[in-house]
């Protein structure tokens, strides 16, 4: 089979104006970036607000394994499959970050014959949204340091600066730095830090903002520092949010592209789900709901991370609810959770499959707590045997979940017709969607609920630093906010080595931060990195230009 980039390079794309016309976007409402990608104007988003919503389908997954589960690929394949059975759908996805593209994971435009194109553009600079978010965040940081240098009228304590600079790249050397060295003219020396752009609060705010003015107000609420006498200083206090909004005025507009089968894709925003809320923008999802009968969107990593945050944060803020949740799994992931090493996953192993099925069962149980119909999608690999598939099918049915095999990687939409029909049918079933916790519950109680109900923990422990921070945030009004848990994606617990369905453990919250503009409190567990590093052999080593000027090695 051809590589992803070879398949994408052979795609017969339609001009983006044709894709827009097919879904009801007027030519004057489209802002093209070349022939095959465009932004949807604010006029279009506003015009569509009173249109009827389609059905919302959330795609999530089991805990990721080294074998790969293909959640984005399944999301794209499902949308193509919907078209094959005569349904009008749009898939709404996050934009890729350059960190994973050049790191280990690779791009985020799907794979095989279920990809979003132009794949190369999307995985690299796309329409410049990531750069705009990076610039806006770093402008805020520059204005803060300049305020301190120019007399520090607000009395900001440089030891209690809350915001960090960002870069859309994996660069461990920038995690902890000292800035403003070199003498008086270069500012007041202090410790500083970099995070990856997708972990920044500016990214979260862009993805949760309803419009440009909501964006400006939210940016103004960012907690940037404390004064010497312990008072909070917000972004509006240093007069940065207006200029930041100007930098983001185009970035807030959703991006329109297409799949390999010329079905529409709205791609916008890109927060990670292990350190942020892990969903594409509210504007993208709401716009897709107005333009199609079905909006298919994904949330990062497993149901314990992206899905929980999608359901308890994004749905709460946006006033939306899913009609169906698709849970992506693989036979390989279940065998891996059953103790089989990556090198042995292609061999049939019914004992390991049964043992590892507890992880899939935990995710099904978690999603049922939200009162929404669940369809398990087994992403098919060539080595899967009929006996293994039959076991998974029976297991899902015993847990009250619908089941379908998808061969979208190798067959595109044709390989997802069964899944598409199962999902369409599930959208018509009884739906009793409810949040996991009451927003008015005390902050510590909300954390306890997530830990016990979603992770399966016995309880939560807090370091002194974390408890001090949380108590301070509560005094600032954060008690009524939802919580955003930063946790390893590899396990339901905070220990990445604890596979399957761990029990008899407690979650430890090591630190906390307040995303006041985004509207949630972030609690860090374990050793989650907000600025990843490159591996010993990163994907960047394989990416190059050939003798004809074509990109090779991108996946």
């Amino acid at each position: 089979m051809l590589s992803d980039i070879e398949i994408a390079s052979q795609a017969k794309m339609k001009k983006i104006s044709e894709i827009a016309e097919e879904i009801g976007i007027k030519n004057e409402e489209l802002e093209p970036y070349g022939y095959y990608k465009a932004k949807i104007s604010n006029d279009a988003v506003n015009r569509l607000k009173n249109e009827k919503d389609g059905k919302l389908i959330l795609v999530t997954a089991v805990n990721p394994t080294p074998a790969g589960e293909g959640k984005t690929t399944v999301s794209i394949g499902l949308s193509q499959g919907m078209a094959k059975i005569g349904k009008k759908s749009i898939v709404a996805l996050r934009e890729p970050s350059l960190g994973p593209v050049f790191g280990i994971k690779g791009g985020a435009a799907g794979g095989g014959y279920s990809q979003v194109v132009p794949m190369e553009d999307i995985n690299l600079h796309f329409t410049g949204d990531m750069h705009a978010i990076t610039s806006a965040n770093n402008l805020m940081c520059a204005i803060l340091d300049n305020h301190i240098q120019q007399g520090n009228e607000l009395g900001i304590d440089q030891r209690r600066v809350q915001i960090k600079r960002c870069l859309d790249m994996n660069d461990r050397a920038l995690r902890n730095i000292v800035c403003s060295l070199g003498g008086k003219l270069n500012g007041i020396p202090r410790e500083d830090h970099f995070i990856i752009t997708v972990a920044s609060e500016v990214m979260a705010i862009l993805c949760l903002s309803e419009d440009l003015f909501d964006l400006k107000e939210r940016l103004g609420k960012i907690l940037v520092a404390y004064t010497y006498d312990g008072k909070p200083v917000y972004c509006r206090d240093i007069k940065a949010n207006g200029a930041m909004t100007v930098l983001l005025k185009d970035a807030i507009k959703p991006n329109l592209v297409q799949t390999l089968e010329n079905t529409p894709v709205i791609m916008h925003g890109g927060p990670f789900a292990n350190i942020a809320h892990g969903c594409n923008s509210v504007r993208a999802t709401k716009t897709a709901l107005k333009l199609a009968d079905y909006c298919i969107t994904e949330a990062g990593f497993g149901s314990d991370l992206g899905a929980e945050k999608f359901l308890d944060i994004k749905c709460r803020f946006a006033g939306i609810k899913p009609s169906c949740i698709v849970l992506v799994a693989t036979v390989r992931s279940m065998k891996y959770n059953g103790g089989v090493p990556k090198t042995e996953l292609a061999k049939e192993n019914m004992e390991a499959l049964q043992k590892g099925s507890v992880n899939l069962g935990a995710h099904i149980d978690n999603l049922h707590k939200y009162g929404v119909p669940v369809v398990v999608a087994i992403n098919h690999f060539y080595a899967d045997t009929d006996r293994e598939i039959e076991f998974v099918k029976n297991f899902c049915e015993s847990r009250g979940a619908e089941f379908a095999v998808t061969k979208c990687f190798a067959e595109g939409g044709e390989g997802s017709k069964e899944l598409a029909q199962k999902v369409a049918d599930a959208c018509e079933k009884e739906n009793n969607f409810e949040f996991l916790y009451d927003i008015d519950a005390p902050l510590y109680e909300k954390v306890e609920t997530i830990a016990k109900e979603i992770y399966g923990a016995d309880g939560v422990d807090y370091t002194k630093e974390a408890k001090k921070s949380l108590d301070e945030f509560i005094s600032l009004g954060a008690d009524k906010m939802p919580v955003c848990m930063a946790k390893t994606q590899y396990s339901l617990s905070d220990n990445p080595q604890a596979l399957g369905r761990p029990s008899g453990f407690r979650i430890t919250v090591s630190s906390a931060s307040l995303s006041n503009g985004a509207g949630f409190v972030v609690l860090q567990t374990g050793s989650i990195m907000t600025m990843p590093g490159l591996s010993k052999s990163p994907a960047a080593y394989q990416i190059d230009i050939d003798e004809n000027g074509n990109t090779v090695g991108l996946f």
Side-chain angles (χ1 to χ4, degrees):
M1 186 169 167
L2 299 175
S3 69
D4 288 352
I5 195 165
E6 288 172 332
I7 293 170
S9 67
Q10 295 178 12
K12 295 180 179 177
M13 290 184 283
K14 291 183 178 181
K15 288 188 175 180
I16 201 64
S17 56
E18 294 180 59
I19 301 293
E21 184 179 4
E22 289 171 6
I23 58 174
I25 296 175
K26 302 173 184 177
N27 190 55
E28 62 270 22
E29 294 173 333
L30 202 64
E31 300 177 8
Y33 281 62
Y35 292 117
Y36 304 113
K37 54 187 188 289
K39 282 196 167 287
I40 300 172
S41 72
N42 293 326
D43 289 342
V45 174
N46 292 333
R47 176 178 64 83
L48 293 165
K49 281 183 176 178
N50 295 323
E51 295 294 320
K52 182 182 176 183
D53 282 343
K55 303 283 189 181
L56 178 60
I57 299 159
L58 171 64
V59 180
T60 184
V62 296
N63 294 106
T65 70
E69 285 62 57
K71 175 162 48 63
T72 303
T73 301
V74 171
S75 299
I76 297 163
L78 174 57
S79 186
Q80 294 177 151
M82 284 286 191
K84 292 287 185 183
I85 64 170
K87 307 290 187 182
K88 185 179 179 182
S89 75
I90 294 176
V91 60
L93 302 170
R94 292 172 297 165
E95 301 176 49
S97 161
L98 291 179
V101 168
F102 291 105
I104 296 176
K105 190 177 178 184
Y113 289 92
S114 292
Q115 292 189 61
V116 179
V117 286
M119 176 264 221
E120 183 179 338
D121 291 3
I122 290 167
N123 277 322
L124 298 177
H125 302 292
F126 201 16
T127 58
D129 293 346
M130 291 291 181
H131 302 304
I133 293 164
T134 302
S135 298
N137 181 90
N138 293 343
L139 173 63
M140 171 176 58
C141 295
I143 289 175
L144 176 69
D145 279 313
N146 185 62
H147 180 93
I148 296 172
Q149 169 73 354
Q150 303 292 351
N152 199 4
E153 181 183 348
L154 294 172
I156 292 169
D157 185 346
Q158 62 265 35
R159 299 165 301 180
R160 299 198 66 193
V161 170
Q162 302 296 299
I163 54 173
K164 299 178 175 71
R165 287 172 162 82
C166 71
L167 186 71
D168 191 38
M169 193 65 65
N170 292 358
D171 193 348
R172 63 170 57 82
L174 295 176
R175 285 175 188 158
N176 302 294
I177 65 170
V178 177
C179 64
S180 302
L181 299 180
K184 188 175 181 180
L185 291 177
N186 294 325
I188 307 297
R190 67 178 182 87
E191 181 181 356
D192 202 358
H193 311 271
F194 270 81
I195 57 176
I196 193 165
T197 298
V198 288
S200 68
E201 186 178 354
V202 176
M203 169 63 80
I205 287 172
L206 182 91
C207 289
L208 292 171
S209 296
E210 291 283 349
D211 54 40
L212 200 59
F213 300 101
D214 184 32
L215 173 68
K216 179 182 175 181
E217 184 177 352
R218 286 174 176 272
L219 291 172
K221 292 179 180 178
I222 296 175
L223 177 65
V224 297
Y226 288 94
T227 63
Y228 286 114
D229 55 359
K231 294 179 181 177
V233 179
Y234 299 102
C235 184
R236 59 178 177 263
D237 297 327
I238 60 170
K239 303 173 184 175
N241 57 318
M244 291 169 70
T245 306
V246 171
L247 283 173
L248 296 169
K249 67 183 180 66
D250 290 321
I252 197 174
K253 301 170 186 174
N255 305 296
L256 180 66
V257 281
Q258 62 191 291
T259 69
L260 289 174
E261 297 180 10
N262 310 122
T263 58
V265 182
I266 296 180
M267 202 169 212
H268 194 221
F272 283 173
N274 58 343
I275 50 182
H277 70 289
C279 320
N280 75 332
S281 76
V282 166
R283 296 189 102 212
T285 301
K286 283 191 165 184
T287 300
L289 282 169
K290 301 298 184 182
L291 291 168
D293 297 327
Y294 298 89
C295 166
I296 300 159
T297 190
E298 52 125 18
F301 295 124
S303 75
D304 54 317
L305 287 169
E308 186 275 315
K309 295 168 186 177
F310 180 95
L311 297 165
D312 286 315
I313 296 176
K314 181 174 176 176
C315 287
R316 197 188 301 268
F317 285 161
I320 56 178
K321 67 176 185 179
S323 297
C324 169
I325 301 175
V326 176
L327 177 61
V328 178
T330 62
V331 168
R332 302 193 307 176
S333 70
M334 295 171 72
K335 288 189 287 190
Y336 183 83
N337 273 283
V340 177
K342 183 181 177 181
T343 54
E344 301 293 320
L345 292 175
K347 298 177 182 178
E348 183 180 89
N349 189 326
M350 299 303 295
E351 182 181 349
L353 186 66
Q354 183 171 7
K355 183 180 177 183
S357 65
V358 295
N359 185 260
L360 174 61
H363 289 281
I364 293 172
D365 293 346
N366 283 348
L367 296 173
H368 276 152
K369 291 173 182 176
Y370 291 92
V372 179
V374 176
V375 177
V376 173
I378 286 291
N379 191 7
H380 188 272
F381 285 80
Y382 71 94
D384 297 348
T385 68
D386 290 344
R387 277 211 313 162
E388 289 173 328
I389 295 294
E390 187 64 21
F391 172 84
V392 181
K393 178 178 183 291
N394 292 335
F395 178 83
C396 293
E397 290 175 350
S398 73
R399 292 302 183 110
E402 289 291 336
F403 172 86
V405 172
T406 174
K407 299 181 178 180
C408 57
F409 183 87
E411 301 176 13
E414 193 65 32
S416 282
K417 287 167 65 175
E418 178 193 359
L419 174 62
Q421 191 59 60
K422 287 281 181 75
V423 169
D425 292 343
C427 286
E428 302 305 319
K429 292 184 176 180
E430 183 179 359
N431 189 322
N432 299 305
F433 175 67
E434 61 180 356
F435 300 119
L436 186 70
Y437 54 79
D438 187 334
I439 196 64
D440 291 325
L443 186 64
Y444 287 106
E445 182 181 314
K446 286 180 273 201
V447 179
E448 193 92 5
T449 299
I450 294 172
K452 289 182 176 179
E453 295 294 327
I454 301 299
Y455 308 155
D458 292 338
V460 184
D461 299 319
Y462 299 86
T463 64
K464 288 183 179 179
E465 177 194 357
K467 192 168 188 317
K468 180 181 177 183
S469 295
L470 288 171
D471 289 342
E472 194 163 54
F473 301 153
I474 289 170
S475 72
L476 296 176
D479 204 33
K480 303 304 181 185
M481 290 182 178
V483 294
C484 181
M485 301 293 288
K487 182 184 75 68
T488 179
Q489 64 267 35
Y490 299 115
S491 172
L492 287 162
S493 73
D494 55 358
N495 174 9
Q497 307 303 319
L499 302 181
R501 190 171 192 168
S503 60
F505 67 94
R506 295 178 68 83
I507 291 285
T508 299
V509 176
S510 54
S511 63
S513 59
L514 176 60
S515 292
N516 195 57
F520 52 70
V521 182
V522 180
L523 290 86
Q524 291 202 345
T525 65
S527 56
I528 293 297
M529 291 292 182
T530 53
M531 170 54 87
L534 292 172
S535 65
K536 189 172 183 179
S537 182
Y541 287 175
Q542 312 304 320
I543 299 171
D544 206 345
I545 295 286
D546 68 15
E547 61 275 11
N548 298 313
N550 298 313
T551 300
V552 294
L554 191 64
F555 67 98

